[in-house]
Amino acid sequence: MLRHKFQPGRLTAGVFLTAAGVTYLGDASGAWETPWFVIIPMVMGGLCLAAVTGMVTGAIRRGRAARREVRNAREGATTP
């Protein structure tokens, strides 16, 4: 399997969508009664949290890349 970057936004979205699926599965199997309108805030909240997580992750990665470029430029300038 190829290695890839960890994407916490996608993980967050997956967790909330899985939780919504488990909630509906429990309702369908008769384990508990779930009103139809409960899932909407769960899914929307999870997607909003995933979006914020993704934006924060992107900002952190851009900041690290910029600092790395500055550091490499300084090292290249001081080396004869």
Side-chain angles (χ1 to χ4, degrees), residues 11-40:
L11 175 67
T12 305
V15 166
F16 275 90
L17 291 174
T18 302
V22 167
T23 302
Y24 264 135
L25 181 66
D27 184 39
S29 67
W32 56 77
E33 188 70 28
T34 305
W36 64 269
F37 56 84
V38 170
I39 299 300
I40 294 171

Side-chain angles (χ1 to χ4, degrees), residues 27-66:
D27 184 39
S29 67
W32 56 77
E33 188 70 28
T34 305
W36 64 269
F37 56 84
V38 170
I39 299 300
I40 294 171
M42 182 185 302
V43 170
M44 294 306 294
L47 291 176
C48 289
L49 184 61
V52 169
T53 304
M55 288 189 295
V56 168
T57 302
I60 290 171
R61 288 183 179 161
R62 278 191 302 275
R64 285 182 181 173

